[in-house]
């Protein structure tokens, strides 16, 4: 698949999902399929139609809800731009123009600067730790409280896992190499590299490749090996740096119009919540499996120079990140509440990780 077909979302992928969803059906299933759905909902998404993993996950989510509800609920999905532009999803669901949407909280930082805490922050928690905070550490309650003001109910529904630092046409050996660097990196990561003297540039997904190829930008981040491979960045960039310090496990969200959700019978509310949780597991698992496969492909077939930032570079970025996050957390009372909960949970779970996974990984890297 080349970049153009990837961006448009390929027929091959659509065909793939149809093939996967085909099952032999008995009479009851066929009869149930004929049943008229009592609830027909519209789902808008911030992803292009059938976008790999994220858009595909939305299609699966709709399928699961339909099956679990015994066809009582039907969800029609609209990719970004099909019904409304990507960045209007929050307002559209808030106003009830669509009942639900798939996106990420950090897209809405214009509404509240603390929203990125519900997606990812530079040098923040990883996917596993974010799930722990959201499901079992009070994070989801804070998220629900923050979104209730907008007539929305949020659920974690997907995670990209650890991303990559990005593609660079310039070596980054020390922190001073960021000086004058023009890099496509949205959000808080952009604020951080600006402190290091770089210029964060905003480019939409469809412009990045051309901008990098023409030298309008010197570097770009995107997601991880799978999506980056589909974008073809390895054809025009010299170095592929790790780790994705700015997106350490980005949580994707399902947002539902609160009034529509509250008016549902209890079993349908539970079905939506359960399908979102299944989406969450499916999405992270798929990212991990695909990234593993495509990193090998990039290194072995495309001979990509994969590098990791030096300790000096990471320490410098970490310091600038801490300043950025501190500034954000002090903006207002609501921010402080979210900031404190996130930071306290992260400190605790990092302490536990030191005695659990960190020791284990240190050990397996020796035996490799
Ligand atoms: Ca990214």
């Amino acid at each position: 698949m080349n970049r153009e077909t990837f961006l448009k979302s390929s027929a091959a992928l659509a065909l793939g999902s149809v093939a996967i969803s085909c099952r032999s059906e008995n009479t009851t299933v066929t009869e149930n399929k004929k049943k008229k759905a009592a609830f027909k909902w519209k789902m808008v998404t911030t992803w292009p139609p059938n976008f790999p993993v994220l858009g595909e996950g939305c299609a699966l989510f709709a399928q699961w809800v339909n099956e679990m509800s015994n066809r009582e609920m039907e969800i029609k999905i609209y990719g970004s731009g099909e019904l409304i532009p990507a960045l209007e999803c929050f307002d559209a669901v808030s106003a009830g123009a669509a009942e639900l949407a798939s996106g990420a909280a950090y897209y809405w930082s214009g509404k509240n600067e603390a929203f990125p805490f519900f997606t990812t922050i530079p040098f923040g928690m990883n996917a596993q730790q974010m799930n722990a905070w959201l499901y079992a550490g009070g994070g989801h309650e804070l998220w629900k409280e923050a979104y209730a003001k907008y007539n929305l109910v949020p659920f974690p529904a997907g995670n990209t896992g650890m991303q990559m630092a990005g593609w660079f046409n310039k070596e980054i050996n020390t922190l001073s190499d960021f000086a004058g660097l023009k890099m496509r990196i949205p959000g808080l990561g952009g604020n951080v590299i600006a402190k290091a003297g770089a210029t964060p540039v905003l480019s939409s997904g469809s412009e990045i490749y051309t901008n990098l190829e023409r030298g309008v930008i010197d570097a770009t981040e995107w997601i991880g090996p799978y999506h980056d491979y589909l974008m073809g960045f390895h054809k025009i960039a010299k170095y592929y740096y790790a780790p994705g310090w700015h997106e350490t496990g980005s949580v994707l969200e399902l947002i539902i119009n609160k009034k529509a959700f509250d008016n549902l019978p209890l079993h349908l509310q539970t079905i939506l919540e359960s399908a979102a949780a299944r989406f969450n597991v499916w999405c992270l698992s798929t990212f991990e499996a695909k990234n593993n496969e495509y990193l090998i492909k990039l290194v072995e077939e495309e001979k990509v120079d994969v590098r990791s930032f030096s300790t000096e570079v990471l320490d410098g970025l970490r310091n600038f990140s801490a300043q950025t996050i501190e500034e954000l957390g002090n903006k207002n009372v609501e921010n402080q509440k979210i900031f404190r909960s996130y930071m306290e949970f992260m400190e605790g779970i990092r302490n536990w990780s030191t005695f659990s996974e960190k020791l284990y990984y240190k050990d397996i890297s020796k035996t490799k």
Side-chain angles (χ1 to χ4, degrees), residues 292 295-296 360-368:
N292 163 34
L295 180 64
I296 294 169
Y360 172 69
Y361 282 121
K362 218 167 112 192
D363 192 54
I364 54 168
S365 64
K366 273 188 204 156
T367 55
K368 238 180 168 181

Side-chain angles (χ1 to χ4, degrees), residues 284-298:
L284 177 63
S285 311
T286 306
F287 262 104
E288 291 290 289
K290 288 282 185 192
N291 282 336
N292 163 34
E293 187 186 335
Y294 278 77
L295 180 64
I296 294 169
K297 220 175 165 67
L298 283 167

Side-chain angles (χ1 to χ4, degrees), residues 106 163-164 184 186 221-223 246-247 250:
Y106 65 0
Q163 299 196 8
M164 287 290 281
R184 182 268 176 190
E221 70 86 52
W222 184 234
I223 307 178
H246 61 303
E247 295 206 55
S250 300

Side-chain angles (χ1 to χ4, degrees), residues 15 17 28 52 64 88 126 158 175 183 238 245 269 290 359:
L15 284 172
S17 28
T28 325
W64 296 330
E88 285 175 20
N126 66 19
L175 197 61
M183 178 171 186
K238 288 186 190 151
W245 57 274
Q269 291 181 349
K290 288 282 185 192
L359 279 182

Side-chain angles (χ1 to χ4, degrees), residues 137-351:
H140 193 202
E141 282 68 30
L142 285 173
W143 195 3
K144 283 194 269 196
E145 195 182 299
Y147 272 31
K149 289 178 195 143
Y150 300 92
N151 190 34
L152 293 170
V153 184
F155 292 103
N159 196 305
T160 66
M162 176 71 80
Q163 299 196 8
M164 287 290 281
W167 299 86
F168 292 71
N169 272 325
K170 194 183 149 189
E171 276 185 87
I172 303 291
N173 296 315
T174 69
L175 197 61
S176 58
D177 290 327
F178 275 96
L181 186 89
K182 283 172 290 173
M183 178 171 186
R184 182 268 176 190
I185 172 169
L188 295 172
N191 298 357
V192 173
I193 65 159
K195 285 185 191 286
T199 308
V201 179
L202 286 179
S203 311
S204 71
S206 57
E207 295 166 346
I208 307 173
Y209 187 92
T210 319
N211 285 352
L212 188 61
E213 193 178 28
R214 293 187 184 160
V216 176
I217 51 174
D218 312 304
T220 186
E221 70 86 52
W222 184 234
I223 307 178
Y226 178 45
H227 290 81
D228 292 9
Y229 176 91
L230 297 178
M231 287 288 266
F233 293 136
H234 53 281
K235 293 175 193 155
I236 49 165
K238 288 186 190 151
Y239 314 107
Y240 193 24
Y241 276 97
W245 57 274
H246 61 303
E247 295 206 55
T248 53
S250 300
V251 176
L252 311 169
E253 65 180 11
L254 180 82
I255 47 177
I256 306 178
N257 177 279
K258 194 170 182 307
K259 206 173 153 210
F261 186 76
D262 290 345
N263 285 336
L264 283 178
L266 184 61
H267 70 282
L268 287 181
Q269 291 181 349
T270 307
I271 284 170
L272 284 167
E273 185 166 3
S274 304
R278 185 174 174 186
F279 186 176
N280 206 26
V281 174
W282 177 88
C283 183
L284 177 63
S285 311
T286 306
F287 262 104
E288 291 290 289
K290 288 282 185 192
N291 282 336
N292 163 34
E293 187 186 335
Y294 278 77
L295 180 64
I296 294 169
K297 220 175 165 67
L298 283 167
V299 173
E300 291 184 357
E301 292 174 20
E302 307 297 335
K303 312 290 178 209
V304 168
D305 190 350
V306 182
R307 299 181 171 199
S308 57
F309 283 149
S310 65
T311 308
E312 188 236 309
V313 168
L314 286 173
D315 283 349
L317 292 172
R318 190 181 287 111
N319 286 337
F320 288 135
S321 295
Q323 287 172 21
T324 308
I325 303 306
E326 188 79 38
E327 287 160 13
L328 197 73
N330 286 326
K331 288 273 164 100
N332 57 47
V333 177
E334 190 184 20
N335 281 18
Q336 276 169 20
K337 203 161 109 181
I338 299 167
F339 170 83
R340 268 204 312 275
S341 169
Y342 184 104
M343 292 314 224
E344 280 170 23
F345 193 85
M346 180 162 71
E347 201 185 323
I349 205 157
R350 281 191 174 163
N351 186 42

